[in-house]
Each structure stands twice: as C-alpha cells, then as structure tokens.
Amino acid sequence: MLSNHFQNGIETAKLVWSRLPSSDDVTEELESRMNGGGGAESLDYEVVENYVYREAQAKRSKLYNWYYAMLKWLFALLIGVGTALAAVFINLAVENFSGWKYAATFSIIQHSYFLGFLVYALFNLVLVLSSVYIVTQFAPAAAGSGIPEIKGYLNGVDTPGILLFRTLIGKIFGSIGSVGGGLALGKEGPLVHTGACIASLLAQGGSTKYHLSSSWLHPFESDRERRDLVTCGCAAGVAAAFRAPVGGVLFALEEVTSWWRSQLMWRVFFTSAIVAVAVRTAMTWCKSGKCGHFGSGGFIIWDISGGQEDYSFQELLPMAIIGIIGGLFGALFNQLTLYITSWRRSYLHKKGTNVKMIEVLVISLVTSIISFGLPLLRKCSPCPNSAINPDIDCPRPPGNDGNFVNFFCKADKEYNDLATIFFNTQDDAIRNLFSAKTFQEYSAQSLLTFLIMFYSLAVVTFGTAVPAGQFVPGIMIGSTYGRLVGMFVVKYYMKLNVDEGTYALLGAASFLGGSMRMTVSLCVIMVEITNNLKLLPLIMLVLLISKAVGDFFNEGLYEEQARLRGIPLLETRPKQCMRSMIAKEACQSQKIVYFPRVVKVAEVVFVLRSTKHNGFPVVDRGSGGQELVIGLMLRSHLLILLNSKIDFQNSPFPGDPRTVTSRHTFSDFVKPVSSQGLSIDNINLTDDEKEMYLDLAPFLNPCPYVVPEDMSLAKVYNLFRQLGLRHIFVVPRPSRVIGMITRKDLLFEENENSTAMELQTSVRAQAHRRSTRRYDHLDRPLLNNLLIRE
C-alpha cells in the first residue's frame, strides 16, 4: 500500500514537471506577444449584455446576490491573509539567509579576510543563481518589479503570463534569492506583483493547469470583477511590504488603477487592514525568538519619533535643496535605467538564457567585491563616549543588527562607518541612516562613496532577469545624500536643534518622488513607516519639489518601463493635439470588417484568419431596408461558438434566441485569466460544417458605446479611459431624438411591487416621446463609419 502511494506520488510529480513550460517557449511567447505583430491584448472591462447574460441576471435571486456580495468580501479577506503570509515567508527567508551569511563572514574574518570574502561572495552567488535560474527557466514574467505590468493590467492591457501560478512562485522564491544575495534591489515592488497574482488566482478559483483549483470557490466571470480583486492585491502588497495599510490604499488609488469607485475603496481598505493585523501577529510571534535571525529588521518600520521635534524657517532652504537634488537624481536614474534596459533587451538578452544568468552572476560578484572591499579602505573611528551615550552598543556584536560594525578595526572600541551600511540588510542599513541622535556617526567621505557606488549598482542591476523592486534602493540612495545635507546643516546652523536622521528621511522621500513621481501615497507611506506625524509638512514639501523637478525632464519610472516593455498605457490626460481633432479623423484609415446577423460559418473562419480584430460590428436590415448596427461581437465569443458547434444551423434565417439558454450558460463565455484562450488554428471544421450558418444576435453586445463622428477626440479619450472600454463605435450625428434622460429620471426608489416602478418609468418615457414627436418625420441616418479600438 505504501509503495503504491509512493509510486503514485512520483508519477504525479513527473506529470507536473512535464507540463512546466520550457524557458525558450515562454520567452518566445512573451516576446512575440509584446514585441511582435500580436502586441498586448486589451481586456474586456465592459459588460457584454447579450441575451445569455440577461437571462442569467434575471434568474439570480436576492439570496444569490447576498451570496455574491459576501463572496467578494471573503475573497478580500483571503487576499489579505495570503499576501501577508507571502510577505512573512519572504522576509523570514531573506533575514535568515542574510543573518547566516553575515554571521559566517564575521566569524571567518577573525582568522582570514580573504577566506571570509570567498565565503561572502559564494553565499551571494548561490542565492542570486537560484533567483535567476527560477526566473529564466521557470517564470520569465517574474523578472523586474511587476508594477508596470500590473499598472497596464488595471489600465486595460493583458500582458501574457503576469498573473499565472508559476509567476507567483517565481516572484516569491526569486525575490528571496535576489534580495538575500545582496543585490542593489528591493522586495517591495515584487510584493505588489505577488499580491496581484494571489488575487487573480483566487478570482479564477485556483490554477487548473497544476490541479490546484477548487470548485467551491466560485470564479468571477468577467475582467471587470477580476480587476477589482487585483486592485485589492496591489494594495495588500504595499501594506505588507511597508506595514503601511493606508499607504497601500492610496498607492492603489494614485499609482496603479485607472478606474475607481466607493465600493472598491471599502474592500481595498478592508484588505489592507487584514494585512496589517496578520503581519503584526507574525512579528509578535517572531519576537519570542522562534524565527531565527529575524529580529527588528525585515518588515520596514523605522521609528524616528525620538528624533528632531521641531524645525525652523532657516531649515526650509536646505530642505528645498534636498527636493531639487531628489528630482535631479530621480530623473537621471530613470533615464539611465531606460537606456541600459533598452540596450540589454535589444542586444544582450537576445543571446539566450545563459547570457542572462552570466550577467546577473557577474553583477553579483562585482557587488560583493565592492561591498566587501570598500570598507577595508576606510579608517576605523573611535566609538562614542559610553557615558554620554549609554544606549549605544559600540561596537556591535557580530551577527546582530544595528549600528557601529567592527570591520577590519585594530582596536576593540572602534567601528567602520562604511561597513555599518554595507554589512547589513537594506532595512537595517536604512534604519541606521535614519537613526536619531547619532551625530557624526558617518563621515562625509563614507557617505559620498556609498552614494556613488550604490547608485551605480542600482542603475546597472535594475532590468536584469531577477525580481527587482526600487523602493528600498531608492530610500537608501535618498537617505545617503539627505544625511549629507543634514551634516552640513548641523555644522553651519550650530544653534538649531537639527537631527541628521530627519534629513535622511527627507532625502529618501525626495528621491522616490523624483523617480516614481508619487505624492499622496508616498507621503503617507513615509509617515507610516517612520511613526512621526510631525514631519508630514516637510515630507510634503520635498515631494512636491522633487516631482516638479523630475517632471521637467522625463516621466516616472513605471511609465518609462511600461513604454519600454510595449505596454500601451492610456495616460490620465489626452494629448494636446487631440483637442483639435474629432473622432472621425482618428479612424479614417481603418478598414471596417463587419458581419450580418446570420452569417455563414466559412465567412467567420475566413475573417478570423485574415484579420486580427478582436471586435466586429454586426448589422441587420431594418424595416426600410437600410442597414442598422445591432451590436458588437467579440472574437473570443466567435471562437467559442465555432469550437462548440452546437449553434450551427442549416437555415440562413434568424432563430429563436430563447433556445440559446438551453444550450449555453454565461460561464461558457468566460475568458481564462492571463492566457491566450482559443485560437482559430486550434479549431477543426469539416466542409459541411463550414457551409452552415450562425445567428449572432443572442451572443453579441446589443448596447456598445457610441459617439458621434464630430465629437472631440479628447472627449472620446476621456470616455474611453474612464469607463475602461475596449471598443467605441463612431456613427453619424443622429437627427432624431427618442427621449432625454436627466438626473430625476435616475432617482427613483425600487418598490417591492415592480409594476409601480415600470409604470413610473413608462409614464416618463411617454412624456419624453411627446416632447420629441416633432422629429418623427426625419429619417434615421445610415452608418458610415465605426471606430474599433483594439
């Protein structure tokens, strides 16, 4: 019996492994979709209100509506818990790997510095190799921060592979290797992507490919509903990364989403609150010593509440200078990473996965040499007077977190200030830079050396084939030059109560504002992670200045990277040239392909093979013999009808739409998440089947959005983006009015007796028809143009 179970387990493992995609297959798929002719595909955020959908809605009872609403809140809870557990696992792994590395290194350098360097570099190489191997061989979509791709998804662009189960696994374990391996990267951006992946997998009920699906979790059946859950996942990722639940909500609102509503705000807030509670519970459990080397680091919380209490107007000038420096450094960082990443994708990465792996390993080795070698060139400094500073432990015991690292120091009561930054996890290094009442702990030469080297490493490392975030590296860069400015203020403004750690905080905020161009969410995040509300006006000042300076040179980091990856983002505002254009001008060069209501199967196959359109207008003959648009038919729905074949008919005349509900349910038309779905090449039809007909009326969207041909293109742009549309029809200006809806027509109470409500609506409709009867003699114009937005 036991041997049989063991054999079955081996066979199952072989089956799962055989289904894993090879790196070449996945890479070719990504590059062909993103850089090739197919391009990124748009998402259908608009509800297709076809006959099947309306029948499904009519059958839903109030009990089902309550169940559906409770399911949304349950999923918000599960997203929060799942993201928090993923964050706890990543932080525990990174802290313990880093703790083992530093403990072994400090133990060995007591006897041999060269042997200590070999152990340190080898430890980093092994961790980084695990990260780049997972990404290149298993989950190429897990490379980078993932925020540009998630931002594109919430903007309406479906980037292939970004929300799959293998991407989630690659993001978690890849982040552990890249961050634990000492690269100039962070884990906060990947955590946002991790939360989005968890939300997407819950929305579809799990992963059917790896047999991890559950039937009792009702999958959400439209891109619109999945979009809401992915938004909750993004906020949960920020809340878990920074322990900043309010900042997570504002990050989702300001940075990644293009569409928002009050009901979504409640669920996003609830998800972030769940994350905060779960993370705090995990940290409380770890304080008992059950988490190995995980101590005060890991989850970011840099408490500087004991630092500078107040500020004077004389300090506003150096603080404004910090904002200007942050804007300049942030814009330069964006431009350099754009150039290097573009060259890397165009030349280096096209040579295969082995080149990607060698590149990351070389960068890891260079990082180890710099972080280990530069502190050896610095002179040690004497420890502060213990009588004056009784709370300071100098030098720091080997293997523990904190300030004052004794590295290559001859005397016992000395420390190496540059090693204090390099020989720490990034969270602990930032905590040291933010530390209050530690005047003259760092020399200007050490801070300047670290700034130049770490800035260069961050620019070169960003864009490699590993999960990479830029929040924490940006904070380290900004806090370094911020502390330099603070040292200048302490030296020349001698009578002011100035703290260097406060200026380090402002520098961190300025660099993030100059690079990522966030304001409100970043301001709240910085306040939450420092636990100092008094610094809020100063953070707002440097953020506004740094963003204004950065915007003068280029766009934000995520917008630049999204454009580099071929993600067609719709910005918040239309281009200036659109204000002088009309809708008709934007679609003059298009070749419209449409179907009649009843179409031959062979014609459908020919059109799908010869075009790449994802939406087709459907026309029918009116009572006067003129062609009228009756709706929009999606390519994905046509493929489903061709594959099922149960709707084929021999007659070229319309059928009864009521018979459709006996053959189909609304779930039959649900598109798989982050996958290509059906292809016309995968559908086999006989010659006899191609001679049959399809009645498209029950399956099309009968009410697509329509704009007149002379509408301003800027107005069309705002309508398209704010409603999350995929297609808009452009038609001649209508000459006949059948009614007018005002605010009062939408303000009625739903009575238990539905007849009263229907009567009330009918009376108002008759009044409108009487008021517009003088237009009845005018003919309805013919359709002359349609705008299909792919």
Side-chain angles (χ1 to χ4, degrees):
M1 180 74 69
L2 183 60
S3 61
N4 292 336
H5 285 297
F6 183 72
Q7 184 67 26
N8 292 336
I10 294 178
E11 294 298 330
T12 303
K14 289 181 178 180
L15 176 63
V16 173
W17 180 259
S18 65
R19 293 189 176 187
L20 296 182
S22 65
S23 60
D24 296 334
D25 295 339
V26 179
T27 302
E28 290 177 2
E29 173 190 341
L30 291 176
E31 294 188 355
S32 63
R33 291 281 301 276
M34 296 304 298
N35 300 325
E41 185 178 346
S42 299
L43 292 164
D44 296 300
Y45 286 155
E46 182 186 359
V47 177
V48 179
E49 297 182 354
N50 54 23
Y51 187 85
V52 179
Y53 172 80
R54 291 179 176 178
E55 286 293 319
Q57 292 292 315
K59 294 179 180 178
R60 289 185 175 182
S61 62
K62 288 187 177 181
L63 181 62
Y64 181 86
N65 292 333
W66 276 101
Y67 161 75
Y68 200 62
M70 294 301 298
L71 194 63
K72 289 182 178 181
W73 286 97
L74 174 62
F75 274 37
L77 172 66
L78 296 177
I79 291 170
V81 174
T83 307
L85 292 177
V88 169
F89 176 73
I90 292 174
N91 280 278
L92 284 177
V94 170
E95 289 290 313
N96 280 281
F97 279 129
S98 300
W100 295 331
K101 176 178 63 178
Y102 292 128
T105 303
F106 276 101
S107 176
I108 295 174
I109 62 176
Q110 304 298 326
H111 309 284
S112 172
Y113 277 91
F114 180 73
L115 185 59
F117 166 73
L118 290 181
V119 172
Y120 177 76
L122 184 61
F123 216 112
N124 287 335
L125 283 173
V126 171
L127 288 173
V128 171
L129 178 61
S130 67
S131 176
V132 68
Y133 183 83
I134 290 172
V135 171
T136 56
Q137 304 297 327
F138 181 66
S145 68
I147 294 180
E149 289 81 1
I150 299 302
K151 187 172 183 177
Y153 181 88
L154 296 178
N155 193 257
V157 181
D158 186 12
T159 306
I162 63 169
L163 297 175
L164 299 182
F165 178 72
R166 66 169 180 263
T167 304
L168 172 63
I169 299 301
K171 211 72 178 182
I172 293 175
F173 289 95
S175 299
I176 295 173
S178 61
V179 179
L183 294 179
L185 302 170
K187 56 184 179 293
E188 286 68 30
L191 268 176
V192 177
H193 194 179
T194 299
C197 289
I198 293 174
S200 177
L201 290 171
L202 285 173
Q204 61 178 330
S207 175
T208 56
K209 182 174 183 179
Y210 300 109
H211 305 285
L212 298 175
S213 59
S214 177
S215 58
W216 70 272
L217 286 177
H218 179 70
F220 287 89
E221 296 175 333
S222 69
D223 289 332
R224 177 191 294 264
E225 294 163 331
R226 293 167 180 166
R227 172 187 60 184
D228 292 349
L229 291 178
V230 171
T231 304
C232 294
C234 292
V238 175
F242 293 102
R243 288 178 59 196
V246 180
V249 176
L250 294 177
F251 175 82
L253 171 62
E254 178 184 10
E255 184 61 22
V256 295
T257 58
S258 303
W259 189 85
W260 198 264
R261 68 181 190 276
S262 58
Q263 294 92 337
L264 180 60
M265 172 75 80
W266 277 104
R267 277 191 284 151
V268 171
F269 185 79
F270 173 73
T271 305
S272 298
I274 294 298
V275 172
V277 173
V279 169
R280 186 175 183 85
T281 303
M283 291 193 65
T284 303
W285 182 72
C286 286
K287 286 181 179 179
S288 60
K290 300 178 180 179
C291 299
H293 287 273
F294 181 83
S296 59
F299 291 104
I300 299 174
I301 185 69
W302 302 305
D303 193 345
I304 60 171
S305 56
Q308 186 170 336
E309 296 291 339
D310 202 358
Y311 53 91
S312 64
F313 287 102
Q314 294 174 284
E315 297 180 70
L316 295 181
L317 177 61
M319 292 176 181
I321 293 175
I322 289 178
I324 296 174
I325 296 174
L328 295 175
F329 277 20
L332 179 63
F333 183 87
N334 293 357
Q335 204 65 35
L336 291 176
T337 54
L338 181 64
Y339 289 151
I340 295 177
T341 306
S342 178
W343 171 82
R344 179 182 281 130
R345 292 169 63 90
S346 301
Y347 300 101
L348 194 62
H349 285 180
K350 287 188 175 181
K351 297 180 179 180
T353 57
N354 292 333
V355 175
K356 296 180 182 180
M357 297 175 65
I358 294 173
E359 177 198 18
V360 178
L361 294 178
V362 170
I363 293 176
S364 174
L365 183 60
V366 172
T367 304
S368 299
I369 293 174
I370 290 175
S371 58
F372 196 95
L374 286 181
L376 296 177
L377 304 178
R378 290 293 305 161
K379 294 182 179 180
C380 293
S381 304
C383 289
N385 192 340
S386 58
I388 301 176
N389 303 281
D391 297 332
I392 292 179
D393 187 10
C394 181
R396 188 192 74 186
N400 296 333
D401 62 324
N403 303 46
F404 307 105
V405 174
N406 187 335
F407 184 80
F408 200 59
C409 297
K410 297 180 180 179
D412 292 336
K413 286 296 182 180
E414 289 184 345
Y415 72 97
N416 190 316
D417 58 347
L418 195 54
T420 299
I421 309 176
F422 273 119
F423 277 86
N424 266 311
T425 60
Q426 293 178 354
D427 296 345
D428 291 333
I430 295 172
R431 186 177 293 107
N432 297 339
L433 291 170
F434 281 1
S435 59
K437 299 177 182 178
T438 53
F439 297 101
Q440 300 178 353
E441 177 183 352
Y442 302 97
S443 64
Q445 295 85 352
S446 295
L447 291 177
L448 189 60
T449 301
F450 177 79
L451 175 62
I452 296 173
M453 299 309 301
F454 193 82
Y455 191 96
S456 303
L457 288 174
V459 168
V460 174
T461 310
F462 187 77
T464 54
V466 293
Q470 280 303 312
F471 273 103
V472 169
I475 292 175
M476 291 192 68
I477 293 171
S479 59
T480 304
Y481 68 72
R483 191 156 186 123
L484 278 170
V485 176
M487 293 172 62
F488 172 83
V489 174
V490 170
K491 183 176 181 180
Y492 290 96
Y493 292 10
M494 300 180 61
K495 296 183 179 180
L496 299 178
N497 182 23
V498 178
D499 195 284
E500 297 174 4
T502 300
Y503 283 82
L505 167 66
L506 299 179
S510 69
F511 185 83
L512 292 179
S515 175
M516 300 178 183
R517 313 294 160 78
M518 296 186 297
T519 52
V520 179
S521 59
L522 186 57
C523 182
V524 174
I525 289 174
M526 296 304 294
V527 170
E528 286 188 282
I529 64 180
T530 55
N531 194 25
N532 195 331
L533 191 60
K534 296 179 181 179
L535 301 179
L536 178 61
L538 303 181
I539 298 175
M540 295 172 65
L541 172 66
V542 297
L543 281 175
L544 290 174
I545 295 175
S546 63
K547 185 182 185 303
V549 173
D551 285 338
F552 182 78
F553 295 98
N554 50 34
E555 292 184 304
L557 177 65
Y558 300 135
E559 287 77 11
E560 296 278 5
Q561 295 296 320
R563 183 176 294 106
L564 179 64
R565 287 167 168 78
I567 302 174
L569 291 179
L570 292 180
E571 301 175 357
T572 55
R573 293 184 298 177
K575 300 294 184 182
Q576 186 64 31
C577 62
M578 293 183 180
R579 303 185 185 279
S580 58
M581 298 177 63
I582 60 176
K584 183 179 180 180
E585 297 175 350
C587 57
Q588 284 180 344
S589 61
Q590 292 183 1
K591 182 181 179 181
I592 303 304
V593 180
Y594 62 90
F595 290 118
R597 172 179 173 173
V598 181
V599 59
K600 184 177 288 188
V601 173
E603 182 180 350
V604 176
V605 174
F606 174 78
V607 170
L608 294 182
R609 290 186 183 276
S610 59
T611 65
K612 296 182 180 180
H613 299 318
N614 288 296
F616 303 92
V618 179
V619 298
D620 195 12
R621 295 285 179 180
S623 57
Q626 59 184 356
E627 289 186 343
L628 300 177
V629 178
I630 62 173
L632 171 70
M633 192 71 194
L634 296 179
R635 170 185 282 266
S636 59
H637 290 188
L638 286 172
L639 292 173
I640 293 172
L641 296 178
L642 293 178
N643 188 56
S644 65
K645 304 178 183 180
I646 60 176
D647 297 286
F648 293 174
Q649 60 185 37
N650 295 316
S651 170
F653 300 102
D656 186 2
R658 290 175 295 180
T659 61
V660 173
T661 55
S662 62
R663 302 193 300 263
H664 291 285
T665 61
F666 182 69
S667 58
D668 294 339
F669 299 93
V670 174
K671 186 186 71 173
V673 178
S674 295
S675 64
Q676 297 183 16
L678 286 174
S679 172
I680 186 63
D681 298 328
N682 300 329
I683 299 176
N684 298 318
L685 297 172
T686 64
D687 293 337
D688 292 337
E689 291 172 338
K690 290 181 180 180
E691 294 300 319
M692 301 181 75
Y693 295 88
L694 264 176
D695 184 6
L696 303 180
F699 310 103
L700 54 80
N701 183 3
C703 47
Y705 284 88
V706 179
V707 297
E709 60 182 350
D710 56 350
M711 177 181 283
S712 166
L713 190 58
K715 195 171 183 180
V716 175
Y717 181 95
N718 292 328
L719 177 69
F720 196 92
R721 186 183 187 278
Q722 292 173 7
L723 294 179
L725 302 181
R726 189 178 187 181
H727 310 90
I728 287 184
F729 285 177
V730 176
V731 299
R733 175 167 289 279
S735 59
R736 179 176 176 227
V737 181
I738 64 172
M740 180 180 294
I741 294 179
T742 61
R743 182 184 295 266
K744 67 179 181 180
D745 296 296
L746 303 176
L747 298 176
F748 56 83
E749 296 182 359
E750 183 177 358
N751 301 320
E752 294 184 0
N753 187 0
S754 59
T755 306
M757 185 178 66
E758 294 174 358
L759 178 62
Q760 182 183 14
T761 307
S762 175
V763 171
R764 292 180 178 177
Q766 292 176 9
H768 285 308
R769 283 196 292 270
R770 286 196 301 269
S771 65
T772 57
R773 189 169 296 166
R774 60 182 178 273
Y775 299 105
D776 289 347
H777 66 282
L778 300 177
D779 293 332
R780 187 177 183 89
L782 295 177
L783 174 71
N784 67 356
N785 206 352
L786 296 133
L787 170 60
I788 303 297
R789 285 297 178 100
E790 296 297 332

